Amino acid sequence: MQLVVARIGRAHGIKGEVTVEVRTDEPELRLGPGAVLATEPASTGPLTVETGRVHSGRLLLRFAGVGDRTGAEALRNTLLIAEVDPQDMPEDPDEYYDHQLMDLDVVLADGTEVGRITEITHLPSQDLFIVERPDGTEVMIPFVEEIVTEIDLVEQRAVIDPPPGLIDDNAVVAAGFDDDEGDGTRPDGAGKGEPS
């Protein structure tokens, strides 16, 4: 099975290095020196990782045969694809490959249907599930333990406990002023339905 493990960003320096947006929890395994990766578009690859290093929090890769900035720029926005055994599991039992999470049903603890995972976005601080609701709209759900309480691969579902406002319109909005009088009015006289 093929798995997208990174997207190539812009060139870095003049010796053929590129920044990459990592889309795997195992970059040292999937993107290490010697790794041979298929590409999308296919005409760009396959690419063999020659060197890798971290610079200012970003992974930089250099590929065999790409020795200058022009060659590196030509790779921009190329997806890097690794061949993965579908039976492989990450070493950490609390980690999952994207392909294991795609198309899972997302439900609340009481079984209420929220939608289906259609995409997983990897951000520097956390991952996000893009969930398509039954009405066709989408909602983003942070893949953090406080919100995603259970992943059940056997039942093909993700159980969530969302805070108010994440998947509905019940967000709690904090007041942006001090109500010293306790009467619901702002210090400038506005409040209680009056225009501000």
Side-chain angles (χ1 to χ4, degrees):
M1 139 172 249
Q2 293 192 321
L3 185 67
V4 174
V5 293
R7 183 182 65 81
I8 297 176
R10 57 182 185 229
H12 179 83
I14 60 171
K15 296 182 179 178
E17 284 185 312
V18 294
T19 61
V20 292
E21 173 191 313
V22 176
R23 297 186 180 180
T24 175
D25 289 332
E26 301 173 311
E28 63 287 341
L29 173 66
R30 307 286 178 211
L31 300 169
V36 179
L37 302 161
T39 60
E40 178 59 44
S43 59
T44 308
L47 294 173
T48 302
V49 178
E50 194 169 85
T51 64
R53 66 185 178 104
V54 176
H55 176 74
S56 298
R58 301 278 316 218
L59 179 61
L60 302 178
L61 296 180
R62 183 178 9 238
F63 299 100
V66 180
D68 60 22
R69 186 174 185 87
T70 302
E73 277 295 339
L75 298 175
R76 191 170 190 166
N77 292 321
T78 298
L79 296 177
L80 299 175
I81 303 167
E83 193 66 40
V84 177
D85 183 336
Q87 303 305 315
D88 279 356
M89 295 288 285
E91 291 180 14
D92 186 333
D94 291 329
E95 291 182 359
Y96 303 90
Y97 291 131
D98 286 4
H99 71 271
Q100 296 173 299
L101 301 171
M102 289 295 291
D103 293 322
L104 291 186
D105 292 323
V106 179
V107 298
L108 301 178
D110 65 5
T112 302
E113 179 185 12
V114 175
R116 181 179 56 85
I117 298 173
T118 58
E119 186 181 337
I120 298 158
T121 301
H122 301 279
L123 303 175
S125 58
Q126 67 192 14
D127 295 336
L128 288 175
F129 291 159
I130 308 300
V131 176
E132 183 178 318
R133 299 191 216 205
D135 66 5
T137 61
E138 291 184 336
V139 63
M140 292 185 286
I141 298 177
F143 186 23
V144 294
E145 190 175 351
E146 296 80 22
I147 296 173
V148 181
T149 59
E150 179 186 357
I151 297 289
D152 187 337
L153 296 178
V154 174
E155 294 292 323
Q156 287 289 288
R157 66 183 191 150
V159 180
I160 65 169
D161 181 16
L166 183 65
I167 62 171
D168 54 33
D169 295 326
N170 295 329
V172 177
V173 180
F177 61 91
D178 291 327
D179 180 13
D180 294 332
E181 305 300 319
D183 62 0
T185 59
R186 296 196 324 220
D188 61 6
K192 288 194 173 181
E194 299 171 18
S196 52

